[in-house]
Amino acid sequence: MSAGDPAGPAAGPGTLHEVADGVYAFVQPDGGWCLNNAGLVVGEGRTVLVDTAATEARARRLRAEVERVAPGGADFVVNTHFHGDHTFGNGQFTPRAVVVAHEGTRADSAEAGLGLRQLWPAVEWGETPLVLPTLTFRGSLTLYAGDLRTELLHVGPAHTANDVVAWVPGRKVLFTGDVVWSGVTPFVLFGSITGSLRALDRMRALGARTVVPGHGPVGGPELLDETEDYLRWLQRLAEDGVSDGLTPLQAAHRADLGRFKELVDSERLVGNLHRAYAEQDGLPPAARIDVITSFQEMVAFHGALPTCHA
């Protein structure tokens, strides 16, 4: 597959596996663009699904995996943030399931619509109607699957303006959405570096044993540290770039990726630097910046449209 192939051969299907008693992770390798993870909490008489998938085929696969362990299907679907890879599959679970999100995520989803599909027109998206959350909250919300509690905690701005993580304290499992990444380049163009660092501190205090990131393999608390390491490096890179009068794209070209070279989708560095530069200029976390230009520069840095296996 060439770097210029925007879709490429299909990646392997996602698989649901148990990470703690009654708690499951749905992992889609290799965690690149639009290959997100989801989670499932199963208790007596109720199930909570955390995030969905980008395309109709992948959302159907997720639904089949959910019904394999919970024949009635999901009762609640949580959207950790508004990006389409985590929300486009909502329609596969409604009207049975209630879709839950932060009130800001609902507003952002309504504004973004299905626009993500336009970035990769070669992807077979299928039928992914825009299904907005019907239950929203602000600070936190607790959902119960039988006696098993899932705490939804608003930790944004981080990856986006309004990120939510799902914490299952009885099993010490944390579903982080895209605030945490595993073997994949973090992406904060829509959110905040400083906000992400605060969110990581808050999540670290929960004492999770198992961490299910938004993309990439399941791990433990070390995934929070690895995400933080990248973000701290990004801040230093932006400080040097601003000091030397470089644009974000120029700073990206000059950068030595070092230990971050093997992370999937390294071209996100350019978009991340746009956010880092905005924060250097004093813009508040998640303030609106020109994401279209940022994405175009990511394409230029990559030398082609980044590959999407969704």
Side-chain angles (χ1 to χ4, degrees):
M1 179 184 62
S2 69
D5 185 352
T15 303
L16 192 71
H17 63 278
E18 195 167 28
V19 297
D21 185 22
V23 184
Y24 300 78
F26 179 79
V27 177
Q28 298 190 98
D30 60 356
W33 290 104
C34 297
L35 291 175
N36 64 296
N37 298 334
L40 184 69
V41 182
V42 180
E44 185 176 353
R46 286 290 185 273
T47 61
V48 178
L49 177 64
V50 182
D51 285 327
T52 59
T55 66
E56 179 183 2
R58 289 185 173 276
R60 286 184 179 277
R61 167 71 178 185
L62 173 59
R63 188 182 69 186
E65 287 286 275
V66 168
E67 292 176 351
R68 177 173 59 82
V69 299
D75 296 287
F76 297 100
V77 171
V78 178
N79 292 157
T80 59
H81 61 286
F82 78 93
H83 289 158
D85 49 338
H86 296 256
T87 64
F88 282 177
N90 287 353
Q92 289 294 327
F93 300 91
T94 57
R96 173 190 168 89
V98 175
V99 181
V100 186
H102 187 270
E103 62 180 22
T105 295
R106 188 186 196 280
D108 289 341
S109 294
E111 180 181 347
L114 301 177
L116 177 66
R117 294 166 55 123
Q118 298 174 14
L119 296 180
W120 286 282
V123 168
E124 294 184 8
W125 297 97
E127 293 296 322
T128 60
L130 184 65
V131 177
L132 298 176
T134 56
L135 174 62
T136 63
F137 64 98
R138 293 182 180 178
S140 63
L141 179 69
T142 300
L143 301 176
Y144 285 88
D147 294 331
L148 199 53
R149 198 166 78 246
T150 301
E151 298 177 1
L152 307 181
L153 309 174
H154 179 229
V155 300
H159 171 61
T160 67
N162 294 288
D163 294 280
V164 165
V165 300
W167 168 233
V168 188
R171 300 293 186 265
K172 299 293 184 182
V173 177
L174 178 64
F175 297 97
T176 70
D178 285 358
V179 183
V180 175
W181 306 73
S182 176
V184 181
T185 305
F187 194 45
V188 291
L189 174 61
F190 292 85
S192 170
I193 300 170
T194 55
S196 293
L197 294 172
R198 286 193 294 268
L200 289 166
D201 284 342
R202 183 176 177 188
M203 289 185 287
R204 199 174 278 116
L206 295 173
R209 285 197 299 262
T210 303
V211 175
V212 182
H215 295 251
V218 174
E222 74 281 354
L223 298 185
L224 281 67
D225 298 334
E226 292 167 7
T227 298
E228 179 171 348
D229 285 348
Y230 178 89
L231 295 174
R232 297 283 186 193
W233 171 78
L234 180 65
Q235 283 184 319
R236 293 191 296 270
L237 197 64
E239 290 170 1
D240 291 343
V242 170
S243 177
D244 294 342
L246 302 180
T247 67
L249 182 57
Q250 289 170 337
H253 279 299
R254 188 179 73 172
D256 178 4
L257 293 178
R259 67 186 186 278
F260 306 116
K261 184 178 181 180
E262 301 305 317
L263 295 181
V264 174
D265 297 331
S266 61
E267 67 276 356
R268 291 176 181 164
L269 173 61
V270 180
N272 290 335
L273 281 169
H274 273 275
R275 175 56 61 183
Y277 271 50
E279 293 191 358
Q280 288 281 313
D281 288 342
L283 261 65
R288 297 290 180 101
I289 62 176
D290 187 350
V291 297
I292 298 299
T293 296
S294 300
F295 189 82
Q296 290 171 342
E297 290 190 0
M298 281 192 284
V299 173
F301 180 80
H302 186 63
L305 183 66
T307 300
C308 178
H309 293 293

